[in-house]
Amino acid sequence: RKDAGILAMDIYFPPTCVKQEALEVHDGASKGKYTIGLGQDCMAFCTEVEDVISMSLTAVSSLLKKYQIDPKMIGRLEVGSETVIDKSKSIKTWLMQIFEEHGNTDIEGVDSSNACYGGTAALFNCVNWVESSSWDGRYGLVVCTDSAVYAEGPARPTGGAAAIAMLIGPNAPIAFESKYRASHMAHVYDFYKPKLASEYPVVDGKLSQTCYLTAVDKCYRRFCEKFEKFEGKQFSVADADYCVFHSPYNKLVQKSFARVYYNDFLRNCSTVDQNAIEKLKPFANLEAEESYQNRDLEKTSQQVAKALYDAKVGPSTLLPKEVGNMYTASLYAALASVIHNKHATLDGQRIMMFSYGSGMTATVFSLKANKGQHPFSLSNIASVLNVQKKLEARHEVSPEKFVETLKLNEHRYGANDFVTSNDTSMLSPGTYYLTNVDDLYRRFYKKV
Ligand code: ACO
């Protein structure tokens, strides 16, 4: 099958958000710690009427409607999420309601979960299905949905929430370069959710940063080797028009791109300029372990890679900075930001993607864009995503209200027999919301 990949996309994030600047003041953090230190502007969060199920229902029904897809034409549906609600009952089964209504229950796939990586696993499954002999000619549908919330403390400003739906099929405007793919997977306790009565993870922040950067190095190196084996020429970051990273917070993305450039320097790539070579020379013989802790290397590599960062990474950072870490949806919200910003000039360009899930699982893979044909064209995807409008329509909430909401959600997590406020005043038409949970823990949703 030619050019299997992403045919269409839509994104939903809650309209409620808190400004990082206000959160700094509220938390007593030093001025600039969240905005400059972490590089974040704003953070979306679910109120008690929204959750990962309602967001995914909203994203899927919106995608089907806006691209006029007959629900009978979906043959595989996969969900990536790390937000646990019914444990054994997948979020995918919730989404089946939309398809049952149209008489389609012949849909393969369940949920994939490993921290922020589940969406990528789901996407690979769908693309592989389209490229396989078991493909029945219908579309695949991938949904990434997560609500990222942390206990009070340094990790709290790195939350966020969103759901993304992606339609998968052949002749896609965002096609997979399936040959070029490299992973790094290992056992670590950097971030995990062993407390089943709480939505909050146990997180070793410093370790998670090093794990992430180690995974960038390992995946990128292997990706370059594979590319070279297939193409008979060296790969460097100059061969990627855009680099899109999973984004827990923007500062880590800045450091990751600098790391990629440092790798190109260590690999003697001809595309690394003379000035950068001079500045990076003192760090040429650092042991890998040492290099993650070296502040001078961090600063110098970020500085020499700055212009390339602005051109190749900058366009992907809008939604992750405005919405926060969306876990499984984060990488694809960054991709959506590239489409939003660059759809007019993306034809023929290569996008290098880095997916990371704690625990840990990571892959670098490659996408190639082409204009596509309506409704599956880059310009139509950009207009359906409607990123600017969705951002502008949000309601800024005070940090006090944000903290109060999280407290209520803590209380409600895993609880039964309650009715929500049913307050839909912030939600736009077509948005699903939670009405109540009965004594058997069954959840009920309605649509605005
Ligand atoms: N002005 C400007 N910058 C500041 C200021 C200030 N006033 N104060 C601090 N900073 C900088 C720091 O120097 C640091 O930047 P640097 O790394 O370039 O030196 C940055 O702000 C953060 O400050 P730290 O003290 O390192 O932050 P802290 O340790 O309190 O928390 C952390 C950061 C560990 C990322 C925490 O938010 C966390 O645990 N988050 C969740 C885990 C996470 O997202 N990990 C990433 C990969 S795994 C995943 O995707 C979940």
Side-chain angles (χ1 to χ4, degrees):
R1 243 77 58 183
K2 206 173 153 283
D3 290 342
I6 303 166
L7 292 164
M9 270 178 120
D10 201 3
I11 183 166
Y12 175 81
F13 44 84
T16 32
C17 63
V18 60
K19 284 260 176 223
Q20 293 284 2
E21 215 172 10
L23 205 56
E24 276 170 4
V25 177
H26 174 268
D27 293 353
S30 57
K31 187 168 169 50
K33 179 168 179 187
Y34 302 167
T35 48
I36 298 160
L38 297 174
Q40 292 300 106
D41 294 329
C42 200
M43 175 167 58
F45 63 97
C46 289
T47 66
E48 42 117 32
V49 293
E50 292 197 90
D51 60 25
V52 287
I53 295 169
S54 68
M55 290 194 294
S56 62
L57 286 164
T58 304
V60 168
S61 58
S62 170
L63 177 135
L64 295 175
K65 187 172 164 218
K66 289 183 183 143
Y67 294 91
Q68 297 189 312
I69 305 297
D70 178 353
K72 286 204 189 72
M73 283 304 293
I74 303 296
R76 190 175 188 99
L77 168 54
E78 300 243 0
V79 177
S81 180
E82 62 159 290
T83 308
V84 182
I85 292 189
D86 286 331
K87 298 192 184 80
S88 82
K89 179 173 158 57
S90 64
I91 295 172
K92 185 269 176 87
T93 58
W94 270 103
L95 296 170
M96 283 310 299
Q97 291 180 110
I98 294 173
F99 301 94
E100 280 176 70
E101 243 176 59
H102 292 84
N104 183 8
T105 58
D106 178 18
I107 303 183
E108 290 182 2
V110 288
D111 294 4
S112 291
S113 102
N114 188 91
C116 309
Y117 189 84
T120 298
L123 178 59
F124 286 1
N125 286 346
C126 273
V127 171
N128 290 347
W129 175 67
V130 169
E131 289 180 343
S132 78
S133 60
S134 50
W135 186 50
D136 69 359
R138 291 185 295 165
Y139 298 120
L141 186 57
V142 173
V143 180
C144 308
T145 183
D146 269 307
S147 161
V149 282
Y150 291 90
E152 268 176 40
R156 179 153 278 186
T158 62
I164 287 196
M166 296 181 272
L167 193 72
I168 309 303
N171 306 314
I174 306 152
F176 267 68
E177 295 193 294
S178 292
K179 280 186 296 189
Y180 317 138
R181 212 188 257 189
S183 296
H184 174 65
M185 307 217 172
H187 164 62
V188 282
Y189 272 129
D190 57 337
F191 167 112
Y192 46 109
K193 291 179 175 167
K195 299 188 202 167
L196 296 181
S198 168
E199 208 175 349
Y200 302 145
V202 171
V203 56
D204 181 337
K206 294 288 164 218
L207 177 63
S208 77
Q209 292 165 323
T210 310
C211 286
Y212 181 108
L213 294 173
T214 307
V216 168
D217 280 356
K218 298 243 188 209
C219 291
Y220 182 64
R221 286 281 186 133
R222 284 176 195 152
F223 178 90
C224 293
E225 281 165 20
K226 287 190 184 175
F227 183 95
E228 281 157 28
K229 212 171 96 193
F230 281 117
E231 300 300 326
K233 60 176 186 202
Q234 196 174 46
F235 184 93
S236 78
V237 80
D239 294 299
D241 298 286
Y242 296 100
C243 299
V244 179
F245 294 85
H246 165 57
S247 180
Y249 51 93
N250 178 256
K251 176 61 88 60
L252 195 54
V253 173
Q254 294 172 34
K255 289 184 189 182
S256 299
F257 183 75
R259 204 68 217 182
V260 166
Y261 196 65
Y262 175 59
N263 271 287
D264 280 356
F265 158 77
L266 293 175
R267 294 166 54 242
N268 295 316
C269 290
S270 55
T271 50
V272 177
D273 70 41
Q274 205 50 46
N275 167 54
I277 292 172
E278 288 308 319
K279 295 220 163 99
L280 289 172
K281 244 184 205 154
F283 310 102
N285 298 316
L286 283 182
E287 290 293 328
E289 278 314 306
E290 228 183 309
S291 72
Y292 298 115
Q293 315 306 334
N294 192 305
R295 303 288 290 182
D296 290 336
L297 168 61
E298 208 174 84
K299 275 208 196 81
T300 308
S301 56
Q302 272 178 255
Q303 187 218 325
V304 294
K306 174 81 169 67
L308 284 175
Y309 172 89
D310 290 343
K312 292 180 190 286
V313 186
S316 72
T317 59
L318 175 65
L319 283 167
K321 283 166 108 168
E322 283 290 336
V323 181
N325 190 355
M326 298 155 260
Y327 287 162
T328 53
S330 162
L331 177 66
Y332 302 98
L335 176 64
S337 304
V338 175
I339 297 168
H340 164 73
N341 282 314
K342 297 289 174 186
H343 62 92
T345 54
L346 215 49
D347 189 41
Q349 301 206 303
R350 175 179 286 138
I351 305 169
M352 190 179 87
M353 306 279 285
F354 173 70
S355 181
Y356 180 80
S358 297
M360 66 168 165
T361 57
T363 302
V364 165
F365 59 103
S366 179
L367 303 172
K368 200 74 179 261
N370 67 76
K371 267 203 212 98
Q373 277 192 331
H374 192 81
F376 307 138
S377 63
L378 294 173
S379 60
N380 192 45
I381 297 173
S383 85
V384 167
L385 287 169
N386 207 2
V387 167
Q388 205 54 45
K389 195 81 169 286
K390 284 179 189 163
L391 287 174
E392 282 163 11
R394 298 198 294 177
H395 305 269
E396 193 190 321
V397 167
S398 71
E400 288 76 16
K401 183 81 192 148
F402 163 70
V403 171
E404 197 184 297
T405 304
L406 259 56
K407 282 220 173 88
L408 177 59
N409 289 349
E410 276 172 32
H411 185 67
R412 291 268 172 88
Y413 187 71
N416 65 340
D417 206 9
F418 66 85
V419 178
T420 70
S421 66
N422 280 274
D423 178 359
T424 58
S425 56
M426 304 254 203
L427 306 179
S428 55
T431 308
Y432 284 79
Y433 63 98
L434 179 68
T435 58
N436 64 298
V437 177
D438 73 8
D439 57 340
L440 289 175
Y441 299 85
R442 292 177 300 193
R443 306 171 81 80
F444 296 88
Y445 296 86
K446 272 193 187 151
K447 197 172 174 176
V448 181

